[in-house]
Amino acid sequence: MNKRFNFASVTAISLVTLALSSFTTTVFAKSANFTEQQIKQVEHIKEEALKSDLAWDIVESLTTEVGPRMPGTPGDEAGVAWAVAKFNAMGFDKVWTEPATFPKWIRYSESASVVSPSPQKLHITALGGSISTPKDGVEAEVIEFETLADLENAPEDAAKGKIVFINYRMDRHRDGNGYGPAVKARSGGAVAAAKKGAVGYVMRSVSTAHHRFAHTGGSHYKEGVTKIVSSAISNADADQLQRLIALGKPVTININVQAKSMGEGTSYNVIGEITGQEFPEEYVLIGGHLDSWDLGTGALDDGAGVAITMAAAKFATAQEKPKRSVRVVLFAAEEFGLWGAKAYAKAHESELSNIVAAAESDFGADKIWGIESNVDDNSLPVIKEIAQMLESLNVEYIETNAAGGGPDLVPLRPFKVPSFRLAQDGTDYFNYHHTADDTLDKIDPVKLRQNAAVYAVFTYMAANSKTKISGKK
Ligand code: ZN
Ligand code: ZN
């Protein structure tokens, strides 16, 4: 009788315990890669990160105390000093810089106007790398093309003596896939226009916005092709220009850009590491790019990525030293062409196989909705466990296993580094991207916490999993 009674109460107690634990933690009975203690730790990290404003404090500090950080400017230099000091203040075990060189370019001024038939101002910005116009600008009739391909397919002298206007409108998508088709006209438009005899180039901004800010971004010239001014107007101004042209009379505009290429510049990747206990040479690489364009304060692009990953590294290692190292890399001169990332790949070429997981946050600060890997098949069970632990943060598992990673991971691709996309909602990202309007107020502190929590869980699990994650063979 006694025995039976005791048995019953034990059962009752364990049922209650089980019921309680299923409310507070993910049930994880059959984990092959993590101990029960580690799973509890993941839950703890999640809770702490969702309560913390650490990432907000970091991005606020960067965008306020430093501001714009265009490569080669005093702001960029200040950003590097800021990052070194911040890593040290946050207690990272090792903090260091690595140089990266890039072609330096400075913007002085930019303006544009319709000269005839109805004089009015246009809101314009020079694209990165653009040459200057003469002091009084370049003035000519505008010829409109719908796409870069239309311009390239036009007769040889189609734009002779004119200013080419490419009026391609970017599509809005959650995953930002409207950017690829739109950005072609930014990188290659000036060359294509010059080949058809144009004296200037202006495009509809790579933008999903309704405001009147123009979006800058990198553009290129080509050896042997005449360099002409390369610029972009806001969506609203592009609409206006389109309507004026549609009236059927010749439309003349003036573009005045004063800018300068200044030879080779040097900046620095800033790296902070929390050293692993068991396999210190192996590491999780997370990060963003420290530089920004000059027009805004680079809050969404990419102060947010800097803040999310710095904070995540701290959350992931707050209670105990990780098994493998956690390295936060803040890349230099991304906006001018991934120069810091290229330098990193080169400097670390012989030991890139030590990277067990790499992810860059460079798509703003809206919520992370998915996780996608690019790893060896043998590593997929670990990825599934990570994805399972992210479910409660509303992150879904994208099973394609073909993640590209962020832009600064592109130079690591040939080395088959295991890469991840922690996919953010980019629906609104291109409203602000590369404009004067990319400022701190565009970041939602609650969504920023979710980002830091997702990165922290990912980082902890990749650094501590029993199986080492490896890249595709
Ligand atoms: Zn970026
Ligand atoms: Zn950018």
Side-chain angles (χ1 to χ4, degrees):
M1 186 68 197
N2 252 345
K3 218 175 178 181
R4 186 175 288 183
F5 175 79
N6 284 341
F7 176 75
S9 29
V10 168
T11 309
I13 289 164
S14 39
L15 278 176
V16 168
T17 315
L18 193 69
L20 278 175
S21 68
S22 71
F23 279 115
T24 53
T25 65
T26 311
V27 177
F28 228 98
K30 298 176 299 212
S31 172
N33 288 292
F34 301 95
T35 64
E36 207 177 303
Q37 186 52 38
Q38 286 177 317
I39 294 304
K40 277 192 192 138
Q41 186 57 31
V42 172
E43 292 297 347
H44 180 72
I45 289 168
K46 229 186 268 183
E47 277 169 35
E48 291 301 305
L50 288 176
K51 284 193 293 213
S52 170
D53 278 324
L54 180 59
W56 176 267
D57 293 343
I58 294 169
V59 69
E60 181 181 45
S61 167
L62 177 61
T63 56
T64 308
E65 294 163 47
V66 179
R69 305 170 297 283
M70 191 162 80
T73 62
D76 182 37
E77 215 173 292
V80 169
W82 172 93
V84 169
K86 189 60 81 182
F87 274 131
N88 282 319
M90 289 172 73
F92 280 69
D93 297 324
K94 291 182 198 158
V95 181
W96 72 99
T97 61
E98 297 180 359
T101 55
F102 55 88
K104 194 171 162 182
W105 175 84
I106 297 287
R107 176 199 319 271
Y108 296 116
S109 65
E110 51 207 6
S111 60
S113 56
V114 175
V115 178
S116 67
S118 29
Q120 54 193 293
K121 246 183 104 152
L122 295 169
H123 287 245
I124 197 166
T125 189
L127 295 175
S130 177
I131 57 158
S132 291
T133 61
K135 200 162 54 65
D136 295 326
V138 59
E139 198 165 300
E141 187 185 332
V142 178
I143 178 167
E144 178 185 351
F145 295 90
E146 190 58 38
T147 65
L148 179 65
D150 289 347
L151 169 63
E152 286 168 340
N153 295 330
E156 200 149 312
D157 278 353
K160 198 171 169 51
K162 294 180 177 168
I163 291 173
V164 162
F165 167 47
I166 292 186
N167 190 19
Y168 180 82
R169 190 186 292 269
M170 179 187 173
D171 290 332
R172 182 190 294 275
H173 292 287
R174 181 174 74 162
D175 66 2
N177 70 24
Y179 187 62
V183 86
K184 285 183 201 161
R186 194 184 76 202
S187 33
V191 168
K195 280 184 179 169
K196 305 292 178 185
V199 295
Y201 175 65
V202 63
M203 66 182 289
R204 177 187 285 273
S205 283
V206 178
S207 168
T208 51
H210 292 284
H211 59 55
R212 228 180 152 183
F213 295 99
H215 298 236
T216 191
S219 68
H220 303 290
Y221 292 118
K222 200 170 162 186
E223 209 52 47
V225 179
T226 310
K227 293 180 178 178
I228 57 173
V229 68
S230 186
S231 63
I233 50 176
S234 79
N235 262 336
D237 289 86
D239 292 345
Q240 180 77 332
L241 196 53
Q242 179 182 336
R243 282 190 296 268
L244 280 166
I245 293 167
L247 293 176
K249 287 186 197 151
V251 176
T252 299
I253 67 170
N254 181 297
I255 299 174
N256 192 327
V257 165
Q258 302 303 319
K260 197 175 176 187
S261 287
M262 305 178 85
E264 190 177 84
T266 303
S267 187
Y268 298 87
N269 293 327
V270 185
I271 302 163
E273 184 174 285
I274 293 159
T275 308
Q277 292 286 283
E278 221 172 299
F279 306 109
E281 72 289 351
E282 295 178 3
Y283 65 98
V284 175
L285 189 163
I286 53 174
H289 63 85
L290 188 54
D291 66 306
S292 74
W293 283 103
D294 51 340
L295 302 177
T297 58
L300 293 170
D301 187 15
D302 182 24
V306 166
I308 288 161
T309 54
M310 285 176 98
K314 283 307 286 182
F315 297 139
T317 57
Q319 301 290 315
E320 59 190 85
K321 288 280 182 192
K323 191 188 263 192
R324 303 180 183 86
S325 296
V326 172
R327 193 178 284 190
V328 180
V329 182
L330 307 181
F331 293 97
E334 187 270 351
E335 298 293 8
F336 283 12
L338 312 180
W339 294 99
K342 289 178 200 163
Y344 188 88
K346 202 168 169 204
H348 296 272
E349 188 173 339
S350 63
E351 26 100 10
L352 290 174
S353 58
N354 285 331
I355 302 178
V356 300
E360 183 185 29
S361 172
D362 184 21
F363 200 41
D366 213 325
K367 276 190 173 175
I368 295 174
W369 59 268
I371 178 169
E372 184 186 17
S373 63
N374 190 336
V375 299
D376 187 66
D377 281 353
N378 294 330
S379 302
L380 287 175
V382 187
I383 312 311
K384 277 178 194 150
E385 291 196 43
I386 297 175
Q388 199 178 337
M389 292 306 291
L390 291 172
E391 271 173 20
S392 63
L393 292 166
N394 296 318
V395 176
E396 61 190 70
Y397 181 30
I398 305 164
E399 294 188 39
T400 35
N401 196 33
D408 289 305
L409 301 187
V410 169
L412 300 181
R413 274 187 210 160
F415 304 96
K416 311 254 165 109
V417 167
S419 301
F420 291 81
R421 176 168 71 114
L422 304 187
Q424 289 164 301
D425 187 330
T427 309
D428 297 329
Y429 182 58
F430 293 102
N431 292 352
Y432 308 110
H433 184 247
H434 297 181
T435 69
D437 213 16
D438 179 4
T439 47
L440 185 65
D441 52 297
K442 309 307 179 305
I443 295 179
D444 176 337
V446 176
K447 290 177 177 173
L448 193 67
R449 289 175 179 181
Q450 187 258 6
N451 273 267
V454 173
Y455 265 88
V457 168
F458 164 76
T459 300
Y460 176 89
M461 295 183 82
N464 290 296
S465 102
K466 197 168 151 202
T467 312
K468 178 189 171 187
I469 300 170
S470 52
K472 283 180 181 162
K473 299 288 182 298

